[in-house]
Amino acid sequence: MLERLENLPVGNFHYKLLIVTGLGWLFDSMDTGLISFVLPMLAKDWNLTPEQVGLIGSIGLFGMAIGAVMAGSLADKFGRKNIFAATVILYSVSTGLCAIAWSYESLLAFRFFVGFGLGGELPVAATLVSEYAPANLRGRFIVLLESFWGLGWLTAALLSYFFIPFFGWKSAFIIGALPAFYVFLIRLHMPESVRYLLSKGRIDEAEAIIDELECKLGVEHKPFNKNVEIPEVAQPSPLTLFTPQFRVRTIMLWLTWFGIVFSYYGIFMWLPSIVYAQGFEVVKSFEYVLVMTLAQLPGYFAAAWLVDKIGRRYTLSSFLLMSGICAFFFGNSDTSTTLLISGAAMSFFNLGAWGVIYTYTPELYPTFIRALGSGYAAGFGRIGGIIAPALVGSLIASGFHFNIIFGLFASVFIVISIVVLSLGLESKQMSLEDIH
């Protein structure tokens, strides 16, 4: 049956699945972007210190870490589709509650649950798409899925400059609650993973989905021998990720996720505040944010093309290395022009690397632990995101210049680039069943 799934021609179903899951990615990104734009206004209204502002960013990342771990485990038990929908509802409702937060402490609590939903949704969505995309185009599909993150940031920037100034920062959280209605679209247009159903012995359901897809895509039906024995797989646990079979890839993924999340959230959640504090007025303009955000999209598209040409390992390693180099030049910029050029290049390579890591992670584990492995890798990475915003807040409060802060991020990017190149396993063009 999996041969039938792999041999399906790419058609409307695949693109519809990409768009439906991509919208979830867009909403996640929009929320992350909105909070970064809201924080300066919130800090002014509530007289928050830099450390308190940093904690608002960190508490969301703490929720994302817990959410990624728990959702990954639950998706391997209860299905990709159900957990995807549940996490969307959780972060939507929690975002709406942020609009009625009555204190700093209540806002922290609501932001934790927002993060929990966001962190749970992303690895589950990537797992689902990877299990439907054909092997020869799987990398491209996942990177294109991740490109919706850039569209979400663009949406957040537009809302922040043309909507929030007139209606206040609470309106951003009200808008962030709207994705709850998107769950109905998920229910209508997103099937459960065939690979997941087969792993649970739910053969009739899997075959019904394959039959429907073949009918829609104009493929001749092939009978499936239901007497084929489905091998039983032991119930996975987090310790499975550190058995000799998976140990090296798990260590590589965890270190890479930690570094990329640490650097991304440390840079982008504080970017406007850090640069403006150094005297660059251009960072306050809409044009600056637009250039920085739009640079992400060609980064995704370049990565989407390269990931199936030169492979996951080399694309990810090179994009991480270039992210580090650009971060260094960004931190040492002394004019608005060099700031914009290096900043746009940093966005290009950094977000391209994000697209590849979401492609790479689910490919390195078999079906029975794919969501669990992806969730734990993303969850461990979120620890870096928890540390980074609070650390940057402390560094700013201690008087560190922004070239020192960006030198730190540049070093992290270069280290994880070496980790990927030295420990990574190439999975280009491989069927998911060939990955052991």
Side-chain angles (χ1 to χ4, degrees):
M1 189 181 297
L2 288 177
E3 184 180 353
R4 291 167 63 189
L5 179 66
E6 284 287 341
N7 290 333
L8 288 174
V10 175
N12 289 338
F13 162 75
H14 296 92
Y15 294 114
K16 185 185 291 185
L17 180 65
L18 178 64
I19 291 171
V20 171
T21 50
L23 285 174
W25 224 278
L26 184 150
F27 293 136
D28 286 6
S29 171
M30 183 183 74
D31 178 88
T32 304
L34 284 174
I35 192 64
S36 70
F37 290 117
V38 161
L39 282 178
M41 301 171 65
L42 183 63
K44 183 179 179 181
D45 286 355
W46 286 9
N47 295 316
L48 301 179
T49 66
E51 289 85 356
Q52 287 177 310
V53 174
L55 186 56
I56 293 175
S58 293
I59 196 70
L61 271 295
F62 180 66
M64 291 181 83
I66 304 299
V69 168
M70 292 190 65
S73 301
L74 291 171
D76 280 331
K77 187 173 184 181
F78 297 108
R80 289 40 166 150
K81 179 179 177 179
N82 290 332
I83 302 304
F84 182 82
T87 54
V88 170
I89 291 175
L90 177 61
Y91 85 73
S92 299
V93 172
S94 301
T95 300
L97 290 173
C98 289
I100 60 171
W102 54 89
S103 66
Y104 176 71
E105 290 74 21
S106 64
L107 180 63
L108 287 179
F110 294 142
R111 289 304 301 174
F112 169 82
F113 286 108
V114 171
F116 190 101
L118 292 177
E121 187 267 333
L122 296 175
V124 173
T127 298
L128 180 62
V129 174
S130 70
E131 290 180 339
Y132 267 110
N136 63 322
L137 293 174
R138 189 172 58 241
R140 190 169 304 174
F141 264 81
I142 301 298
V143 178
L144 289 175
L145 171 65
E146 169 67 9
S147 72
F148 280 84
W149 186 271
L151 295 175
W153 264 91
L154 181 60
T155 303
L158 292 169
L159 289 171
S160 297
Y161 281 91
F162 296 116
F163 191 89
I164 296 174
F166 301 100
F167 299 98
W169 58 265
K170 291 186 177 182
S171 64
F173 294 125
I174 295 173
I175 294 169
L178 297 179
F181 298 100
Y182 153 71
V183 171
F184 296 105
L185 195 66
I186 296 173
R187 290 293 181 185
L188 285 173
H189 298 289
M190 182 182 289
E192 183 52 85
S193 164
V194 169
R195 285 181 163 90
Y196 164 78
L197 293 172
L198 289 175
S199 72
K200 297 298 180 181
R202 293 158 62 179
I203 299 172
D204 290 338
E205 294 175 64
E207 185 175 25
I209 292 174
I210 293 292
D211 288 344
E212 183 180 358
L213 292 179
E214 288 178 335
C215 181
K216 287 181 178 178
L217 296 170
V219 176
E220 182 181 355
H221 288 290
K222 296 179 181 179
F224 174 65
N225 181 8
K226 295 183 180 181
N227 295 321
V228 173
E229 185 177 345
I230 304 295
E232 289 190 16
V233 179
Q235 192 67 23
S237 76
L239 294 178
T240 308
L241 302 175
F242 287 93
T243 56
Q245 183 180 2
F246 304 117
R247 185 183 302 138
V248 173
R249 69 189 76 174
T250 295
I251 292 171
M252 182 274 295
L253 286 172
W254 284 28
L255 289 175
T256 306
W257 269 96
F258 182 92
I260 197 172
V261 175
F262 175 87
S263 300
Y264 175 82
Y265 284 96
I267 290 172
F268 286 95
M269 288 196 74
W270 276 99
L271 192 61
S273 302
I274 293 176
V275 182
Y276 184 65
Q278 302 303 318
F280 289 103
E281 293 286 343
V282 67
V283 78
K284 298 292 285 186
S285 71
F286 175 69
E287 289 80 5
Y288 172 85
V289 177
L290 190 62
V291 168
M292 293 286 285
T293 304
L294 289 177
Q296 299 175 8
L297 296 177
Y300 288 124
F301 300 144
W305 183 76
L306 288 170
V307 77
D308 284 321
K309 292 292 182 181
I310 66 173
R312 283 66 161 141
R313 180 171 156 231
Y314 291 114
T315 304
L316 179 57
S317 180
S318 60
F319 270 58
L320 289 171
L321 176 62
M322 291 304 300
S323 297
I325 293 171
C326 294
F328 173 81
F329 282 106
F330 186 88
N332 287 275
S333 297
D334 53 7
T335 68
S336 296
T337 301
T338 56
L339 189 83
L340 277 171
I341 292 173
S342 58
M346 183 172 64
S347 289
F348 177 98
F349 289 109
N350 186 225
L351 276 297
W354 271 99
V356 183
I357 193 68
Y358 270 109
T359 300
Y360 198 30
T361 304
E363 290 183 341
L364 294 185
Y365 296 108
T367 301
F368 79 104
I369 57 166
R370 183 167 296 124
L372 182 143
S374 299
Y376 267 84
F380 185 79
R382 301 303 172 186
I383 297 173
I386 295 165
I387 296 170
L391 176 62
V392 173
S394 297
L395 292 174
I396 292 173
S398 300
F400 280 87
H401 194 271
F402 83 137
N403 67 334
I404 301 297
I405 296 172
F406 278 88
L408 169 65
F409 295 130
S411 300
V412 172
F413 276 129
I414 292 170
V415 168
I416 59 174
S417 171
I418 295 170
V419 168
V420 172
L421 194 61
S422 57
L423 300 180
L425 170 72
E426 184 53 63
S427 54
K428 181 183 71 169
Q429 307 291 339
M430 292 177 65
S431 167
L432 293 177
E433 282 60 53
D434 294 334
I435 298 169
H436 304 291

